[in-house]
Amino acid sequence: MHHRPAPAHQHTAAHRPATLVAVGHGSRDPRARATLLRLLDRVRELRPGLDVRLAHIELNAPLLDETLAGLAAEGREAVLVPLLFAPGHHVTHDLPAAVAAVPGLRARVAAPLGAHPLLVEALAGRLAEAGWTPGEDDRRTTGVVLAAAGSRDPRSGAETRRIAALLGERLGGVPVVPAYASAAAPTVPEAVAALAARGRHRIAVASCFTAPGLFAARAAAHAPWIAAAPLGAHPALARLVLHRHDRALAAPAVVHGRELAAV
């Protein structure tokens, strides 16, 4: 006997496409949430029909635990894409713990945005918008400070250094020095001083932040020359969010620490 496929409305929850949950840190800056929502609008434009939701680790609604509980109640699977750039405590601990705290939730946690050509495209684009136009004669006196949040996790610093190296290559060999707003050294003023000591006096600050906030504002305030805006809704960042989502879908889903077959 031949069985006809079930109509779309009869498909079980297990056959629904996974929901992309973009996880921001959260900020007291009212512009931050609005900026992330614009980024996710771009993601939706690139992937019509994909269920895309924003959640925050702290400070802003909706919070991650509430979002995940709602998805579990709907019987949906989640792919958490951290809107963070390197593996630190939030990525390695907070996100897996949030998943484990929701009974029955099928979920995957994607890698952080990290050292990827699409991220470098977004960083370089924001620098160009801020006025980055060094010619060949300027390369000996130009430098960039890559401002990032910072973490005590050594893997985070290693990833940020890889991002800086890729950005330096993209900018034609201009030195790019990573600097941190907290928990790690050097600070942005220390990185600026180190570049100046090497004869680099046209120093730009690149913003390795997804949205406006205290850390991004402090970093920009120390720019001797130009400061790039946070990456926000840059088209390349939207493509990178989808890339991390797609890579995570290739991994097994997890329920309470048990791996399930990938959907």
Side-chain angles (χ1 to χ4, degrees):
M1 180 183 294
H2 295 287
H3 297 279
R4 294 180 181 176
H9 67 275
Q10 294 181 10
H11 285 177
T12 64
H15 291 91
R16 293 177 185 172
T19 294
L20 190 163
V21 181
V23 186
H25 180 275
S27 171
R28 292 183 175 86
D29 190 313
R31 298 170 296 171
R33 182 174 180 274
T35 298
L36 297 186
L37 288 173
R38 287 194 296 273
L39 171 63
L40 298 192
D41 283 342
R42 282 195 179 272
V43 172
R44 295 184 186 98
E45 291 168 3
L46 291 169
R47 190 72 58 83
L50 178 64
D51 184 24
V52 179
R53 307 190 192 187
L54 175 64
H56 301 89
I57 296 169
E58 60 184 7
L59 298 175
N60 294 121
L63 291 171
L64 179 58
D65 55 354
E66 297 167 355
T67 298
L68 296 183
L71 289 171
E74 295 173 35
R76 300 194 70 106
E77 182 180 347
V79 177
L80 280 62
V81 179
L83 300 180
L84 304 166
F85 297 97
H89 186 77
H90 292 312
V91 173
T92 61
H93 178 268
D94 290 347
L95 270 60
V99 169
V102 181
L105 177 68
R106 294 163 54 93
R108 299 169 171 87
V109 178
L113 300 174
H116 189 278
L118 286 169
L119 177 58
V120 174
E121 181 179 338
L123 288 165
R126 291 292 188 235
L127 279 170
E129 292 168 4
W132 176 269
T133 56
E136 288 299 325
D137 293 340
D138 298 319
R139 295 194 188 279
R140 290 189 297 272
T141 60
T142 304
V144 174
V145 173
L146 178 68
S151 169
R152 292 182 178 85
D153 191 322
R155 293 170 295 178
S156 179
E159 189 70 12
T160 306
R161 288 191 293 274
R162 283 191 286 269
I163 296 169
L166 288 176
L167 181 59
E169 292 174 10
R170 173 68 178 252
L171 299 178
V174 169
V176 177
V177 177
Y180 306 97
S182 68
T187 64
V188 172
E190 288 168 347
V192 166
L195 281 168
R198 294 162 57 182
R200 306 282 175 165
H201 300 293
R202 283 167 55 86
I203 301 171
V205 172
S207 184
C208 204
F209 299 100
T210 51
L214 180 63
F215 285 172
R218 284 178 176 173
H222 292 296
W225 176 33
I226 58 173
L231 300 179
H234 193 283
L237 195 67
R239 297 202 304 274
L240 181 54
V241 168
L242 280 173
H243 172 75
R244 293 301 183 208
H245 164 269
D246 294 347
R247 289 288 297 271
L249 273 179
V254 173
V255 175
H256 289 304
R258 295 185 293 109
E259 289 188 356
L260 300 178
V263 175

